[in-house]
Structure formats: C-alpha cells, structure tokens
C-alpha cells in the first residue's frame, strides 16, 4: 500500500457544502449547476474563479465585463472551466467615509468567497486604489492559486493644449480655482477632461503604484500592470491571465510560494524607484502581514537611500502611465534596477524576476524610464521619519516635495479633525503664515475613522491667493499618491489612540529634518507628560458601535502594520 497522501479535492469536489454526507453534497451541487446548462465534460475540468468587481459606482472598473469575457476565453482555450462571481467593488471617490475604511471588508468578502466556492485557481480583477490590496490580502489568506489582472490606467485628456490627467492635475487645477485663478465655468469644463476614459488614474497614484507592484511581486503577468484600460493589449492580457490561471491550477502554485520575503523586497525597491504612492507602503505592510512577513520600515528607508527615482511620472515628474507603458513598463524598469533586486524571485509564470528583466523591451529614445546614471531623483520616493512625534514612524514622499522645505522649523497651526479643517482653513482671520506647519489630527485609522486622504491639507485660501504653492503639512491621515507637497503622513501611533500628535498645541515649534529622518515636537518632556494626563480620546471611540463599523474601530491596526485587523 502507498503511504503517499491523497491529493486535495479539486473541481466540483472542492469545498463541499456540509450536509453530513459528502456524496450527497456533490450530487446536489451537480444537480443545481446543471440547471445552468453545463455538461459533464465542462464540469470535469479545473474550475477557475473570476472576481467580478464591476459596479456602476466604479468607473475605474468600467472595462471589467470585457476583461471577464477575455479571461473566460483564455481559461477555456487552456482547458479550464471559468466561473465568475461577484465581490465588493470599491471606488476611491464613491466610498464613504473612505475607501480605506472598506478595504478590509472587501478583503474579507473576497477571501471568504474564494474559500467557500469550488475553484482550483482564481483571477483577481482589480484596479481602483484599495481593490488590488484587498484582493491580494484575500489571496494570501485563502492561499488558493491566484493571479492578479489589473484593469489599467485611463488615457490622458487635454485642456487648452495642455496634457492633463487624473488626479495630480485635478489637485493642481483645483488649487488654481481656490486661489481665484480659474473661474467656476472653466473648472466645470476641466472636470470633463481630466478623466476622459474608463480606467484608473494615469499618474503614479495608488492605483498605478499597485499596478507596478503586482509585477514586482510576481503575482501578475509581466508587462500587464501598466497597459491602458482602453487598449486591445489589455484584453489580450486578460486572455493570457486566464490561460495562466489554468496552469496555476494544474501546478498548484499558491500565493504563499510567490509572495516571499524576496518578492516583498523587490516590491519595496520598485516602490521607491517609481515615485510611488505612500499608500503603497501601507498596503504592502498589510499584504505581507497576511503572509507572516513584517515590512521593516528601516529597511524600506535604507532602500530609498540607495535606489533613485527612475520613472518620470507625475507627481514626481511630468509624464503619464501610457508613456511609462510604451517605454517598456515594469520589466524595463527592473532591468535598470537589477543590481538592487532579488533576481531569483519566482513569479506566477515560473520565470524569475531576473529572466523577465533580461528580456525587457528596449525602446530607443524613450525618456520616461531613466537610466541609473541619469535619475529623475538621486534617492527614492519616500523617507521614513522618527522622533518624539512619531515613535512608530511617519512617511514623507520627498520626491514630490519642495526641496527648500525638507529642513524646516515652524509654528504649529492645529486642526482637531477633518471637520475642523474644513470649517477653519479658509477663514480670513486664521492665524497662519507660509512659514507655519499645518497639523491635522484625529484623522488616522480609528480617529477619522478610515484614515482619509485628508493629509493633503489645502493651502489656506488667503495664502494661496498670495501665491503660496506649498508649506509643511503633517497628520496621521493618508494622502493620495497623486498629490504634490511637503507633507508628512501616517504619523503613528495616531492621535486618537494617545499618540504624541494629540499633544501638539497651537504655537508649538516643530522641526522637520528629512535628511536626518527626524520629526520632533520642540516641547520639553515635563510639559508633554502634563498634557498626556489631560488628554481625552475622541467621543466616537468611547461609544458602542454595531456591525462593521464596530468591528473596524475595535480591531484596526496602525499604519506601520498596514491598517489590517488585529485578528487576521
């Protein structure tokens, strides 16, 4: 007799509903699925799940129906049976209070649907900011063979001969409007030109960042993270992803075998080199945590000291995702970065990162992906700050900041909450100058709740009208990866849980020193101890909450741990 363990159930025999009789469970499952017209031949093939994240509230995913059809075609050409299923869909601009508040819910939904239903592999279709992280968190936890398919960035628009894109130009032109340089009629015209096609933001915001990182992690097909949403290549990528999903189902290669420590280090290198979103670091921490790996912020900072920004995209540079894609995309970038990468890291194709970099297309004359000898920025996109204001760390995207403000000491102008900010920021009597430091608190994971992208505090109107373009701003909130400015984010622990940010008073002196990686509140320890004894948590954290909101407030972790739930 053989002592070899039996292979795990596959196809329809996988994840049987519990009726106390496995034979009956399979019989009943077949009876019901045959009502959809499936033949025994079809039902005897590897089953490939396909997440349907289409929603009328999610224009970033407007091409998902076409992608699903192409994935299905690829699955069937490879001999599998495609089965699409719906999950939560989150759009950045249509989720209240924030998309980050719902990311963990989407991760739970996706994970449990993968676990509950019979699939031998799954194709995860996502694009908008929090959907891809949620799907990868789910895939790591379920650990069923998986491949990520990105919906793709939209194409650029034009206004008065200027090339525009969501959403760096959204913020820049809205700033013009706030300063009185663009009237209401023109801003309405612009609103129809900033996002001219379906797809995700075409600058290096969070969506584009995650599109690049899935390639660096090896969980998506090479070159597919940057294809524009409207292009035929995007459809072909979907078909190829369907084919590869069948291969994964047959080989049994699981996310845990792809998403290794080497893969996450490669992702950190690419994140620094693309001028990526600060949100990307939070999401990497959450995905890695599901894998039992901790993202070391000090290692990430050290990578940033060694790896330059090589991609000339807004907000760090001037161009857009379609230019990056046609310049060779992530494979070409990794060719430039090969001295910093773990080249033996394996991807879902079975190829190594090194092999993918070796075969990258070399596009003559392109300037979007710089050489190591001619970087856009000499060091990486982000720095991790420490100090008495951020014991667990804070992040600044210094590649998109004003150089003259990276070492700055100023007077604190404090806003107690997002609501307080909205109420007072444009008050003509606000006591503020361009040399001050705007401080927003109670805007973190628990404090807001949902850690909104409110870290991009607007320049007070009276200063904007006087021509001020940037000033130091800091908070326990997040910021869109599309934004430009000298902005300190993710201060941890957050103020709502008793972090030092909650002790700052109007008029306090704060020192920011990015080269030295320091963030200091210049108040003596005795005074801070006195303030700490007087501190009270926000009212909503002392109240009882039901449902998901209650679960979130009880369980969400801080930014340095990815804002995942503590029980995951």
């Amino acid at each position: 007799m053989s002592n070899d363990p039996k292979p795990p159930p596959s196809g329809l025999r996988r994840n049987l509903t519990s009726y106390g009789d496995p034979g009956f469970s399979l019989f009943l499952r077949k009876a019901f699925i045959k009502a959809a017209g499936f033949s025994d031949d079809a039902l005897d093939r590897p089953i490939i799940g396909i997440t349907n994240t289409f929603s009328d509230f999610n224009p970033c995913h407007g091409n998902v129906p076409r992608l699903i059809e192409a994935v299905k075609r690829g699955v069937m050409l490879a001999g599998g049976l495609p089965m699409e299923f719906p999950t939560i869909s989150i759009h950045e601009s249509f989720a209240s209070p924030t998309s980050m508040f719902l990311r963990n819910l989407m991760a739970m939904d996706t994970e449990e649907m993968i676990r509950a239903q019979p699939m031998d592999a799954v194709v995860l279709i996502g694009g908008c900011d929090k959907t891809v992280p949620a799907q990868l968190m789910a895939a790591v936890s379920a650990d069923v063979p998986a491949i990520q398919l990105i919906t793709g960035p939209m194409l650029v628009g034009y206004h008065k001969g200027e090339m525009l894109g969501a959403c760096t130009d959204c913020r820049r032109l809205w700033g013009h409007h706030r300063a009185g340089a663009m009237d209401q009629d023109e801003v309405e015209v612009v609103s129809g030109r900033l996002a001219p096609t379906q797809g995700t933001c075409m600058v290096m915001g969070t969506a584009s960042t995650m599109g690049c990182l899935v390639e660096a992690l090896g969980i998506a097909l090479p070159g597919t993270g940057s294809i524009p949403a409207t292009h035929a290549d995007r459809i072909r990528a979907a078909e190829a992803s369907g084919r590869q999903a069948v291969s994964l189902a047959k080989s049994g290669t699981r996310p845990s075998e792809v998403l290794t420590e080497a893969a996450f280090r490669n992702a950190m290198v690419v994140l620094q080199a693309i001028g990526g979103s600060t949100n990307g670091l939070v999401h990497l921490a959450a995905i890695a945590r599901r894998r039992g790996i901790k993202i070391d912020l000090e290692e990430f900072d050290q990578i940033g000291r060694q790896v330059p920004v090589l991609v000339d995209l807004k907000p760090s540079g001037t161009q857009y995702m379609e230019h990056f894609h046609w310049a060779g995309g992530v494979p070409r970038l990794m060719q430039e970065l090969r001295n910093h990468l773990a080249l033996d890291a394996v991807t879902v194709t079975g190829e190594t990162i090194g092999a993918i970099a070796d075969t990258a297309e070399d596009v003559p004359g392109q300037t979007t992906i710089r050489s190591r000898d001619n970087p856009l920025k000499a060091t990486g996109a982000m720095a991790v700050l420490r100090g008495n204001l951020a014991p667990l760390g804070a992040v600044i995207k210094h590649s998109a900041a004003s150089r003259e403000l990276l070492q700055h000491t100023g007077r604190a102008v404090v806003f107690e909450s997002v609501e307080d900010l909205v109420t007072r920021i444009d008050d003509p009597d606000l006591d503020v100058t361009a040399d001050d430091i705007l401080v927003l608190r109670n805007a973190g994971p628990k404090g807001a709740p949902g850690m909104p992208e409110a870290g991009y505090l607007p320049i007070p109107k009276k200063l904007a009208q006087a021509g001020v373009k940037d000033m130091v701003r800091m908070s326990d909130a997040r910021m869109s990866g599309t934004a430009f400015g000298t902005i300190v984010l993710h201060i941890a622990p957050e103020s709502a849980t008793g972090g030092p940010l909650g002790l700052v008073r109007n008029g306090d002196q704060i020192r920011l020193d990015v080269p030295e990686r320091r963030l200091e509140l210049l108040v003596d320890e005795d005074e801070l101890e006195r303030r700490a004894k007087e501190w009270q948590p926000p009212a909503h954290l002392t109240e009882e909450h039901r449902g998901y909101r209650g679960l979130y407030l009880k369980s969400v972790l801080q930014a340095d741990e990815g804002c995942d739930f503590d029980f995951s």
Side-chain angles (χ1 to χ4, degrees):
M1 290 181 61
S2 172
N3 291 323
D4 292 341
K6 291 183 179 180
S10 61
L12 285 184
R13 293 168 177 80
R14 189 184 184 103
N15 298 336
L16 287 171
T17 306
S18 178
Y19 289 107
D21 182 343
F24 175 73
S25 297
L26 180 60
F27 166 75
L28 196 62
R29 177 172 282 179
K30 281 187 173 181
F32 276 103
I33 199 65
K34 285 185 175 181
F38 287 99
S39 67
D40 286 325
D41 181 26
L43 295 174
D44 199 35
R45 295 173 183 270
I47 296 176
I48 309 301
I50 307 169
T51 62
N52 185 346
T53 55
F54 175 79
S55 167
D56 284 339
F57 288 108
N58 194 343
C60 294
H61 288 201
N63 62 345
V64 164
R66 289 193 67 197
L67 295 180
I68 288 174
E69 291 307 309
V71 172
K72 286 182 174 180
R73 183 168 65 245
V75 169
M76 289 188 286
L77 286 170
L81 174 63
M83 299 288 284
E84 72 175 90
F85 62 99
T87 72
I88 290 172
S89 181
I90 304 172
H91 187 273
E92 188 66 29
S93 300
F94 282 87
S96 179
T98 72
S99 60
M100 190 66 173
F101 180 75
L102 296 171
R103 184 201 66 180
N104 294 352
L105 181 62
M106 183 178 178
M108 293 169 69
D109 171 35
T110 306
E111 175 187 346
E112 294 310 320
M113 288 300 96
I114 293 172
R115 288 185 186 278
Q117 299 171 133
M119 60 190 78
D120 299 301
V122 61
V123 180
L124 305 160
I125 303 179
C128 197
D129 291 20
K130 307 306 174 292
T131 61
V132 173
Q135 290 175 326
L136 291 181
M137 291 162 69
V140 172
S141 292
D143 211 23
V144 169
I147 187 169
Q148 184 78 51
L149 174 63
I150 298 296
T151 59
M154 64 180 82
L155 299 181
V156 298
Y158 293 86
H159 179 63
K160 294 183 175 180
E162 181 187 4
M163 191 183 301
L164 298 178
C167 202
T168 300
D169 296 319
C170 305
R171 297 177 187 281
R172 177 175 61 85
L173 296 176
W174 184 254
H176 290 344
H177 175 60
R178 278 175 49 80
M182 180 179 287
D183 64 24
Q184 187 63 37
D185 289 341
E186 186 175 3
V187 88
E188 289 296 335
V189 171
V190 166
S191 74
R193 299 179 179 179
L194 284 162
T197 73
Q198 293 175 338
T200 59
C201 293
M202 66 287 260
V203 298
M204 193 53 77
T206 307
S208 296
T209 295
M210 295 309 302
C212 295
L213 294 190
V214 294
E215 288 192 53
L217 287 166
I219 198 73
L221 293 180
T224 62
S226 57
I227 303 169
T230 59
H231 282 221
D233 281 348
R234 174 56 61 196
I235 304 300
R236 283 187 279 271
E239 181 183 303
S241 297
R243 280 182 173 273
Q244 190 60 39
V246 177
S247 178
L248 290 169
K250 292 177 178 178
S251 70
T253 303
R254 294 170 292 137
S256 58
E257 298 172 76
V258 175
L259 299 177
T260 61
E261 288 190 10
F264 283 106
R265 192 182 191 285
N266 286 343
M268 288 193 282
V269 169
V270 169
L271 178 56
Q272 291 282 21
I274 60 178
S277 168
T278 50
N279 287 315
L281 182 57
V282 176
H283 297 318
L284 274 184
I287 298 162
R289 187 174 177 276
R290 296 289 184 104
R291 179 65 179 80
I293 296 170
K294 182 174 177 59
I295 294 294
D296 184 340
L297 295 182
E298 301 309 317
E299 180 186 16
F300 180 69
D301 184 78
Q302 190 60 36
I303 289 171
R305 293 176 185 269
Q306 300 168 351
V307 175
V309 176
L310 297 180
V311 177
D312 184 7
L313 252 69
K314 291 188 175 183
S316 298
T318 61
Q319 300 186 59
Y320 298 90
M321 278 298 286
E322 61 190 84
H323 306 126
F324 174 63
H325 178 69
W326 298 121
V330 174
R332 180 67 185 84
L333 173 66
M334 292 196 300
Q335 192 176 83
E336 288 293 333
L337 294 170
R338 58 180 300 116
N339 291 342
H340 300 283
L341 296 171
L343 298 175
D344 58 350
V346 179
T347 72
V348 286
T349 67
E351 293 180 286
T352 64
I353 288 292
I356 292 167
D358 286 342
T359 57
E361 181 181 5
D362 187 8
V363 179
Q366 68 84 18
T367 60
T368 308
I369 302 173
R370 302 285 191 91
S371 70
R372 287 163 291 181
D373 298 328
N374 181 34
L376 184 72
K377 311 280 184 179
T379 58
M382 282 173 252
V384 176
L385 308 176
R386 301 280 186 179
N388 68 352
L389 258 182
L392 298 180
V395 176
I396 184 170
K397 186 174 179 177
H398 57 131
S399 66
S402 300
R403 180 176 296 181
E404 66 274 14
L405 292 175
L406 294 179
Q407 289 178 298
H408 183 80
T409 300
R411 184 184 63 147
V413 177
V414 180
F415 298 92
E416 290 294 333
S417 64
V418 174
E419 293 75 20
D420 184 36
L421 173 71
V422 171
T423 300
R424 295 196 296 124
I425 191 67
D426 288 336
D427 185 341
D429 295 327
L430 181 67
D431 181 12
V432 64
T433 71
D435 291 329
D436 292 336
I437 295 177
L438 303 182
V439 176
L440 171 65
R441 58 179 171 224
N442 294 314
K446 292 178 183 284
M451 206 181 183
E453 290 186 344
Y456 183 75
L457 282 73
I459 302 297
K461 182 174 285 188
K462 66 181 182 181
L463 297 182
Q465 291 173 337
V468 176
K469 304 296 185 185
D470 192 17
M471 56 193 300
V472 177
R473 289 157 275 179
M474 56 186 58
S475 72
D476 45 16
R478 295 179 300 114
M479 176 179 80
S480 171
T482 64
F484 177 95
T486 311
I487 302 171
V488 178
L489 304 156
H490 311 173
I491 293 176
E494 65 176 304
S495 56
T497 62
L501 189 66
L503 307 182
V504 182
R505 303 280 175 87
N506 280 312
D508 286 348
Q509 292 288 305
I510 296 175
R511 180 188 299 134
L512 169 66
D513 190 335
V514 176
E516 294 297 322
R517 304 302 197 255
R518 301 301 297 172
L519 183 64
E520 301 285 353
L521 178 60
L522 303 181
V523 175
D524 66 59
E525 288 299 318
D526 289 343
E527 173 62 14
L528 292 179
E529 288 179 12
R530 187 187 67 78
R531 293 181 188 182
K533 292 175 182 177
E534 298 174 353
W535 177 84
Q536 295 291 326
H540 72 271
L541 293 183
T542 65
E543 300 166 352
E544 291 292 325
H545 298 274
R546 62 169 297 279
Y548 178 71
R549 185 182 180 89
L551 175 66
Y552 178 93
L553 289 172
K554 177 183 177 183
S555 303
V556 72
L557 296 166
Q558 294 295 293
D560 61 309
E561 295 188 89
C563 300
D564 198 1
F565 289 153
D566 58 13
F567 54 80
S568 60

